[in-house]
Amino acid sequence: MAFKILLVDGHKVLRDGLKAILSRDPDFQVTGETESGLEAVQICKAERPDIVIMEIGLPDLNGIEATAEILRHSPETRVMILTMLEDELTMLNSIRSGVRGFVLKKVSGEGLREALRTVIKGGFYLSPEVSHRLVERMQNGAVDERPVASRTKALSPRELQVLRLIAEGNTSKEIAQLLSLSLETIRTYRKTMMKKLGVGNVAGLTQVALSVGLTQGGTASFGLKGEAASVRVDARLFQTPEMASGISVE
């Protein structure tokens, strides 16, 4: 029986290219597609696909956030990132979110199928071009295990997600709907974050989020020291136009 695959990417031409590649292999069946991280979470809750091929730059929840949500609701689903972002920082944060694969869009059709087979068997697949650089930095002591930034080190991944959404102007009700949580839960997160960060209102939370780069206008440390220690994490970073030619059909 073929493994069910959900495609999550903002570009239809690329999704069509992926479907063409995967249609040549009887082991894989594309059963759904979407350009929305939020919709991907809902599809996984309802349909439980075997694998999600996920882009990072999505219009609502980015791919890393969507991965964490998918695995919360459908832990048996395996997520593989397919992206043009070649930096170790993105790979490191993808791994921390729970992905089982990190593949660059310049991969060949056969390389993509090999990555999927590795992931579906319970293994991990990381594009060599990026994983080699990450290992070198680890061996040189350039990887810092501290979370995002010192000001937010007391916050959980979920609290960081809520903090970013607050800073982007979402109301508690809107955040609750985005994350499929109760309104009271979001209000509790907000109060807890204010206490942890030593601020007294939403404006203070927003200022912290801006200062550490959780939303537009700042940079944030994502676990690496030195010249690669800062990366802009606003939505513009993940909205680089991709071309379907980034994946070759074999």
Side-chain angles (χ1 to χ4, degrees):
M1 185 172 63
F3 296 106
K4 298 183 296 181
I5 296 178
L6 171 65
L7 304 180
V8 187
D9 194 285
H11 298 83
K12 187 179 186 303
V13 66
L14 192 136
R15 298 197 305 270
D16 289 344
L18 288 172
K19 285 188 287 186
I21 292 171
L22 296 174
S23 67
R24 301 182 177 188
D25 194 319
D27 290 337
F28 305 117
Q29 179 184 7
V30 176
T31 57
E33 62 178 285
T34 179
E35 61 182 12
S36 161
L38 183 59
E39 186 175 355
V41 174
Q42 299 304 317
I43 292 173
C44 287
K45 288 171 65 176
E47 301 182 9
R48 311 285 181 176
D50 298 301
I51 303 179
V52 177
I53 300 179
M54 176 83 72
E55 167 60 296
I56 291 179
L58 300 170
D60 34 41
L61 296 182
N62 68 45
I64 294 174
E65 293 172 333
T67 295
E69 285 300 299
I70 287 169
L71 296 180
R72 185 167 73 91
H73 295 289
S74 181
E76 69 276 14
T77 297
R78 296 177 173 90
V79 181
M80 186 177 79
I81 294 292
L82 183 65
T83 182
M84 289 188 71
L85 300 175
E86 299 190 25
D87 61 284
E88 311 97 294
L89 301 168
T90 302
M91 176 184 282
L92 189 61
N93 283 285
S94 297
I95 293 170
R96 286 171 173 165
S97 75
V99 305
R100 302 300 294 259
F102 187 96
V103 181
L104 300 181
K105 285 187 174 179
K106 61 185 178 182
V107 69
S108 67
E110 181 52 42
L112 177 67
R113 292 188 288 268
E114 177 188 352
L116 287 170
R117 291 190 182 96
T118 299
V119 169
I120 202 64
K121 291 177 181 177
F124 290 84
Y125 187 96
L126 306 177
S127 280
E129 302 95 325
V130 184
S131 61
H132 289 171
R133 294 199 300 270
L134 178 59
V135 170
E136 288 176 357
R137 293 187 68 82
M138 291 175 67
Q139 291 175 337
N140 293 331
V143 174
D144 187 349
E145 291 301 322
R146 291 174 299 177
V148 181
S150 59
R151 287 200 68 185
T152 54
K153 64 182 180 181
L155 301 185
S156 68
R158 172 67 82 187
E159 287 170 335
L160 287 169
Q161 187 179 40
V162 173
L163 178 60
R164 180 183 67 80
L165 292 170
I166 289 173
E168 290 178 351
N170 295 283
T171 66
S172 294
K173 183 177 180 180
E174 290 169 338
I175 296 170
Q177 292 173 341
L178 280 170
L179 303 183
S180 299
L181 297 172
S182 70
L183 180 58
E184 187 58 35
T185 296
I186 300 302
R187 287 171 174 165
T188 299
Y189 276 130
R190 188 174 62 185
K191 292 176 183 177
T192 301
M193 289 189 294
M194 287 179 184
K195 183 176 180 180
K196 288 181 177 181
L197 297 172
V199 299
N201 51 38
V202 171
L205 291 175
T206 301
Q207 184 176 6
V208 171
L210 288 169
S211 70
V212 300
L214 288 179
T215 187
Q216 294 185 5
T219 59
S221 171
F222 271 77
L224 299 181
K225 300 175 183 176
E227 62 183 7
S230 293
V231 57
R232 189 167 297 277
V233 294
D234 62 54
R236 290 168 294 181
L237 173 66
F238 304 119
Q239 291 176 351
T240 304
E242 289 96 1
M243 300 299 295
S245 58
I247 296 179
S248 58
V249 178
E250 294 182 348

